[in-house]
Amino acid sequence: MRISYNWLKQFLKTDWTPEQTSELLTDLGLEVEGLESYQSIKGGLEGIVVGEVLTCVKHPNADKLKVTTVNIGEDKPLQIVCGAPNVEAGQKVPVATIGTTLYTEEGEAWKIKKGKIRGEESHGMICAEDELGLGKSHDGILVLENKTKVGAPASEIFEIENDYVFEIGLTPNRADAMSHLGTARDLKAGLVQKDIKLELITPSVSSFRVDNRTVKIDVDVVNKDLAPRYCGVTITGLKVAESPAWLQHRLKAIGLSPINNIVDATNYVLHDLGQPLHAFDAVKISGNKVEVKTLKTGTKFTTLDGIERELHEDDLMICDAEKPMCIAGVFGGIDSGVTENTTSIFLESAYFNPVSVRKTAKRHGLNTDASFRFERGIDPNICEYALKRAALLIQELAGGEITSDVIDIYPNKIKDFEVRLSFENAKKLIGEEIPKETIKQILTSLDIKVNNVTEAGLGLTVPAYRNDVEREADVIEEILRVYGYNNIKTTEKLNASISSTSRFEDYKIQNIVGNQLVAQGFFEILSNSLTTPNYIALSEQLKEEHNITMLNPLSNDLSVLRQSLLFSGLEAISFNVNRKRSDLKLFEFGKTYHGYSDKREEFKHVSVFITGNDKSENWHETHKKSDFFLMKGIITSILDRLGISRYQESPLKNDLFAEGISLGLGKNKLVDIGLVKKTVLKHFDIAQEVIYADFKWDTILEMCKHNKIKFQAIPKYPEVRRDFALLLDDNVTFESIFKIAKQSEKQLLKAVNLFDVYQGKNLPKGKKSYAVSFTLQDENKTLTDKQIDKIMNKLQTNFEKQLGAELR
């Protein structure tokens, strides 16, 4: 939200600097995220002076140029080459001197330099109004009044608005501060705590009067729950034109483009008081009747942006006797708004149900200044006042007469909130006792009425526009933010209790796994739990009936909760691959969500992705493509780190994978590892292989709880390594060699490793050669050659008997 400093000072005559004001607003909870200067004319006409054209002759080398001498109040006149057709001797003109910076309409800067134009020196530039930012005309130079003083700075002649603009990061609960009045109200309360008491100056509407009652518009609010209050008045005899400079400056300062005096007036009051208004062309209101109601689903309506929309049965509409004219509180229609031919208007000021406006705005993908305020909740008691304020402003800008009584339909008044504040509870929540008089002063400065005072607390009435202050805790928060969080002292003593926690808590195990994956070159990703329902079609195992659907989704692509972490990971991979980052290692901790007929469930998962090359290309090592075995090694190392060593492998049955394995123990599945199907990858425009692992995190956590960690000293006696080159049948696996070795020597055999495989020339048909190493170690003494030979002979014998192996 943008707030103008000059505009703010219309409500509070403060002499605080913009920087001081920024600090106080931030302390009050209206965080100023940026402070920037604003000039109605960029550059402030710095370097532009008034000059008098002394002579003007035709350029000797150009038909359309003239050589002038211009007096700018210095000792010597300047020679300036000018191409304007209307330049003449005796004129008073604006002159940009050497070194002056001018700006194009797009805001690009360019500097005036000394130079030669067709052989004649030029020491400045005589400017047109568009070159100075004073208008759009470029037909010729700007000619000033003869009485203008030569050498006077142009900034003293033309009205320039110099302002500062606060960029406030407004939190959704602070609907009361969505205007200059609301911000000034908060600033006033903050200044009171600085012992600066200023009067809040609000615009007067005492001059409002009905001139005649010649144009009457009947109003019927059919859906009173959706429009608790509706006000309106007619104004005729208007002349639509450009707004005056002061109003344009105000709107431009906060980032709005002026349109015409009628629309600008409604926008001004919107940002002035926080009350959205809408002006209908009264001639276009059929039957001289306005109906506030909902219409049938599917009704067509074209909004101001020219888009035809289909209405929902819950969309509140402003209609005339024949057709809809406006989506209430959101956006006007293309056929009922103010145009340059408008001479009479029906001016609307209303309070619409915040929930209804929010749903309608989201449903149609609209976000306007009006909906931004309506959906957060405006002040219901300001509707009539804002209407009169806008009507008077429109009369000032466009003339006209008030030609009807003010219509105010407000059957059920929205009441203020009654809250009881306990001094003891305030002390507990704040952590410090604030003097009772200070508390009363703060509440009064915030327009919170103190009804009664006791030793124990206060009886309060909170105005309806503070719809975020309904509980005692809310009132205490208001006291604290105005008193100042920085004024609450920090205690010198810190008390803390020691709690007994399990070492197998979720976040601790996550940190272990996450740190290990990061150490192996992985990056963690975080993706949205909301996704598109279209992904269900990629797998028969994912059921549409198990989708949990959002009641009010932001879009169709974010309308259901995900049933798998695979697709969000593939979205991330696709995004990176499209930006030339194809070697990826990613992981994510997340949940999946499933709706069943009798319940809803969510499950924790860890998804791991590998794609592209394992290592980046370099001069001494060829790049190696990531494969299934790399992923399997990473997954088994994680399980080992968690102390899960007992599990079985089984073929993976999942139609999202081309092939893979599942690791589990009994009926408990731990991890699925596999190669993602090309048909799935094609949906995400991924051409390279993706290996995916899905940890069932709930099962992992449960198994970790039953693991007992054993510690033992590092052996001080040396290891011994022996190698076998075994000639084996092609169908013999390393797993069988490993099992036989472990069964043959359970105590001293520490490791078995396959370090070379050979198939081909010089080997019998159907045979292969495995080079296997065996690591032996006795933790209590040094092994002897006799012991080692005995073990190796035993291994050889068992390999020969059980596998038909031969030593090469």
Side-chain angles (χ1 to χ4, degrees):
M1 181 181 71
R2 293 172 67 86
I3 294 292
S4 159
Y5 178 61
N6 289 348
W7 198 337
L8 201 60
K9 289 202 293 184
Q10 291 183 187
F11 292 96
L12 283 176
K13 300 300 182 183
T14 175
D15 57 357
W16 274 34
T17 65
E19 291 76 16
Q20 288 175 302
T21 306
S22 294
E23 291 179 11
L24 182 54
L25 288 173
T26 299
D27 289 343
L28 290 167
L30 302 178
E31 184 180 359
V32 177
E33 298 176 340
L35 176 65
E36 60 185 49
S37 62
Y38 167 80
Q39 291 179 312
S40 56
I41 299 175
K42 193 164 184 178
L45 299 181
E46 187 175 346
I48 312 294
V49 297
V50 176
E52 181 180 9
V53 181
L54 301 177
T55 64
C56 179
V57 297
K58 185 175 177 296
H59 193 293
N61 302 317
D63 293 336
K64 294 184 178 181
L65 297 180
K66 296 175 183 178
V67 179
T68 67
T69 56
V70 182
N71 174 23
I72 62 169
E74 295 183 352
D75 297 337
K76 185 179 178 182
L78 302 178
Q79 177 172 300
I80 299 175
V81 177
C82 180
N86 63 328
V87 62
E88 295 177 1
Q91 292 174 333
K92 297 287 181 66
V93 293
V95 177
T97 56
I98 300 298
T100 298
T101 300
L102 297 178
Y103 297 87
T104 65
E105 191 175 347
E106 292 75 25
E108 295 180 8
W110 56 287
K111 187 172 286 189
I112 302 297
K113 299 178 182 178
K114 176 183 175 181
K116 282 189 176 183
I117 302 177
R118 295 288 184 95
E120 295 293 329
E121 288 189 357
S122 184
H123 298 266
M125 187 175 86
I126 304 175
C127 302
E129 67 173 35
D130 66 329
E131 292 165 337
L132 297 175
L134 295 170
K136 296 182 179 180
S137 173
H138 195 70
D139 295 335
I141 59 169
L142 178 62
V143 180
L144 306 175
E145 295 180 2
N146 280 330
K147 63 181 180 179
T148 311
K149 183 180 176 182
V150 172
S155 57
E156 295 178 1
I157 299 171
F158 299 101
E159 183 181 344
I160 299 176
E161 178 87 359
N162 291 303
D163 198 358
Y164 286 89
V165 179
F166 306 105
E167 186 68 47
I168 295 178
L170 194 69
T171 52
N173 65 305
R174 292 305 309 277
D176 64 293
M178 293 187 296
S179 64
H180 286 78
L181 171 61
T183 304
R185 206 161 37 201
D186 249 25
L187 187 59
K188 171 180 172 287
L191 289 171
V192 168
Q193 293 308 302
K194 306 289 184 182
D195 293 325
I196 302 172
K197 296 184 179 180
L198 297 176
E199 181 186 357
L200 186 67
I201 304 168
T202 54
S204 173
V205 295
S206 59
S207 60
F208 179 88
R209 72 177 189 276
V210 178
D211 297 301
N212 56 67
R213 294 174 175 82
T214 56
V215 179
K216 183 183 178 184
I217 301 290
D218 294 323
V219 176
D220 181 16
V221 179
V222 179
N223 299 84
K224 293 182 173 60
D225 291 339
L226 302 184
R229 188 174 189 183
Y230 192 89
C231 302
V233 71
T234 60
I235 309 174
T236 61
L238 302 170
K239 183 178 180 181
V240 177
E242 190 177 80
S243 295
W246 72 266
L247 179 53
Q248 293 195 39
H249 294 336
R250 285 283 180 268
L251 297 178
K252 287 178 180 178
I254 60 172
L256 296 181
S257 298
I259 299 173
N260 58 55
N261 49 4
I262 308 299
V263 176
D264 292 349
T266 60
N267 283 333
Y268 180 84
V269 174
L270 165 68
H271 291 275
D272 192 51
L273 304 177
Q275 171 66 51
L277 302 113
H278 191 73
F280 298 93
D281 191 324
V283 175
K284 298 176 182 177
I285 300 177
S286 300
N288 285 339
K289 184 175 183 180
V290 168
E291 294 183 348
V292 184
K293 62 183 180 180
T294 56
L295 300 174
K296 292 181 180 179
T297 296
T299 302
K300 306 289 186 182
F301 178 68
T302 304
T303 46
L304 274 172
D305 54 6
I307 297 175
E308 186 180 74
R309 304 176 188 275
E310 283 194 9
L311 301 178
H312 187 273
E313 61 183 7
D314 294 331
D315 293 338
L316 185 65
M317 302 296 295
I318 311 299
C319 309
D320 60 19
E322 298 176 356
K323 62 186 181 300
M325 300 188 295
C326 175
I327 303 177
V330 181
F331 211 23
I334 198 168
D335 297 323
S336 62
V338 173
T339 67
E340 58 184 10
N341 300 318
T342 298
T343 57
S344 59
I345 63 169
F346 174 71
L347 188 62
E348 166 197 278
S349 176
Y351 176 85
F352 298 117
N353 182 284
V355 175
S356 171
V357 172
R358 181 162 57 250
K359 287 184 176 180
T360 296
K362 296 296 183 187
R363 196 178 290 127
H364 295 288
L366 293 169
N367 182 23
T368 62
D369 283 339
S371 68
F372 178 81
R373 286 159 176 79
F374 276 125
E375 65 188 39
R376 285 160 175 78
I378 62 170
D379 183 0
N381 297 319
I382 206 175
C383 293
E384 184 182 8
Y385 168 70
L387 181 71
K388 291 180 177 179
R389 168 77 173 119
L392 289 172
L393 183 58
I394 289 171
Q395 281 188 299
E396 177 188 333
L397 302 175
E401 296 180 329
I402 307 294
T403 51
S404 74
D405 291 316
V406 171
I407 300 164
D408 187 4
I409 300 174
Y410 195 14
N412 300 309
K413 186 175 180 180
I414 297 173
K415 296 180 179 179
D416 296 339
F417 308 110
E418 301 290 335
V419 181
R420 182 73 187 172
L421 172 67
S422 165
F423 291 132
E424 184 62 29
N425 289 342
K427 180 181 176 182
K428 286 180 180 178
L429 284 180
I430 294 172
E432 184 178 308
E433 186 172 5
I434 297 176
K436 296 177 183 178
E437 287 303 316
T438 302
I439 289 176
K440 287 193 287 183
Q441 183 187 58
I442 290 172
L443 294 174
T444 303
S445 69
L446 290 170
D447 292 343
I448 297 176
K449 185 180 178 182
V450 179
N451 297 322
N452 56 74
V453 183
T454 66
E455 284 298 317
L458 304 173
L460 306 170
T461 299
V462 181
Y465 68 78
R466 289 309 308 271
N467 54 28
D468 62 320
V469 183
E470 299 182 358
R471 306 168 301 162
E472 182 184 48
D474 299 329
V475 175
I476 294 171
E477 183 184 2
E478 290 298 293
I479 295 168
L480 184 53
R481 74 177 180 86
V482 176
Y483 182 75
Y485 290 98
N486 295 334
N487 294 325
I488 303 300
K489 297 176 183 176
T490 304
T491 56
E492 296 179 358
K493 184 180 179 182
L494 181 63
N495 297 322
S497 58
I498 299 175
S499 60
S500 176
T501 60
S502 169
R503 66 173 179 269
F504 296 113
E505 288 190 45
D506 192 348
Y507 78 94
K508 293 181 180 179
I509 306 301
Q510 283 191 34
N511 286 341
I512 291 172
V513 173
N515 288 338
Q516 180 160 333
L517 285 169
V518 169
Q520 292 175 310
F522 282 80
F523 289 91
E524 184 173 7
I525 61 173
L526 295 172
S527 55
N528 201 334
S529 295
L530 293 172
T531 187
T532 172
N534 298 334
Y535 289 155
I536 297 298
L538 299 176
S539 171
E540 294 181 0
Q541 294 183 334
L542 302 177
K543 305 296 183 183
E544 185 176 355
E545 58 267 25
H546 294 164
N547 272 339
I548 298 177
T549 306
M550 297 295 100
L551 294 176
N552 187 26
L554 294 173
S555 67
N556 186 58
D557 288 340
L558 298 171
S559 60
V560 300
L561 287 168
R562 63 187 176 191
Q563 292 190 45
S564 172
L565 267 68
L566 172 63
F567 307 121
S568 55
L570 292 178
E571 287 175 351
I573 290 173
S574 176
F575 182 89
N576 280 273
V577 169
N578 288 337
R579 286 154 182 81
K580 305 301 180 183
R581 292 182 60 88
S582 56
D583 302 334
L584 300 169
K585 293 180 179 179
L586 308 174
F587 72 97
E588 178 181 12
F589 292 93
K591 293 181 179 180
T592 59
Y593 306 86
H594 311 267
Y596 303 106
S597 58
D598 58 339
K599 61 181 178 180
R600 292 179 176 181
E601 288 188 324
E602 58 182 57
F603 302 104
K604 296 178 181 177
H605 295 259
V606 183
S607 60
V608 183
F609 299 85
I610 296 178
T611 185
N613 296 322
D614 179 24
K615 296 177 181 177
S616 58
E617 189 176 10
N618 57 69
W619 67 273
H620 64 85
E621 185 177 2
T622 57
H623 61 262
K624 180 183 177 183
K625 193 175 180 181
S626 299
D627 57 20
F628 172 82
F629 299 101
L630 174 64
M631 175 68 89
K632 184 183 177 185
I634 291 168
I635 300 308
T636 54
S637 69
I638 291 173
L639 295 177
D640 290 342
R641 177 67 181 83
L642 298 177
I644 302 173
S645 56
R646 294 174 55 248
Y647 50 81
Q648 294 90 35
E649 294 183 10
S650 59
L652 180 58
K653 298 178 180 178
N654 190 321
D655 61 356
L656 290 170
F657 295 89
E659 55 184 331
I661 60 171
S662 180
L663 307 181
L665 184 60
K667 293 183 179 180
N668 297 320
K669 184 180 286 189
L670 298 176
V671 194
D672 288 339
I673 314 169
L675 191 66
V676 181
K677 268 188 176 180
K678 288 185 178 180
T679 53
V680 176
L681 297 177
K682 185 178 180 181
H683 184 85
F684 294 88
D685 196 25
I686 300 173
Q688 59 195 55
E689 289 186 347
V690 176
I691 303 99
Y692 171 61
D694 178 23
F695 285 83
K696 317 302 177 184
W697 192 247
D698 296 298
T699 307
I700 297 285
L701 287 177
E702 190 61 33
M703 294 191 68
C704 284
K705 294 178 182 178
H706 302 295
N707 290 334
K708 293 183 179 180
I709 299 175
K710 296 180 179 179
F711 298 90
Q712 63 184 41
I714 297 175
K716 59 183 179 180
Y717 298 99
E719 293 179 344
V720 175
R721 169 174 161 162
R722 294 289 186 269
D723 298 342
F724 275 166
L726 299 173
L727 186 64
L728 303 160
D729 292 336
D730 276 341
N731 60 353
V732 176
T733 63
F734 173 70
E735 182 181 11
S736 58
I737 296 173
F738 183 88
K739 288 180 178 179
I740 292 171
K742 283 292 187 180
Q743 290 169 359
S744 302
E745 179 52 57
K746 296 180 180 179
Q747 292 185 348
L748 302 181
L749 182 62
K750 301 301 180 183
V752 182
N753 180 47
L754 176 64
F755 64 90
D756 187 42
V757 177
Y758 176 73
Q759 289 176 297
K761 191 177 179 181
N762 299 327
L763 291 183
K765 187 176 180 181
K767 295 288 185 178
K768 63 183 175 181
S769 175
Y770 272 8
V772 185
S773 67
F774 303 90
T775 303
L776 306 171
Q777 184 183 44
D778 191 330
E779 297 177 1
N780 300 311
K781 61 183 180 180
T782 302
L783 287 171
T784 64
D785 288 340
K786 187 176 180 180
Q787 287 177 293
I788 296 168
D789 291 340
K790 183 179 179 182
I791 294 169
M792 297 308 295
N793 290 334
K794 185 177 181 182
L795 289 172
Q796 179 182 348
T797 302
N798 288 337
F799 290 149
E800 290 172 349
K801 286 183 178 179
Q802 298 182 40
L803 301 176
E806 299 178 27
L807 286 183
R808 293 186 65 199

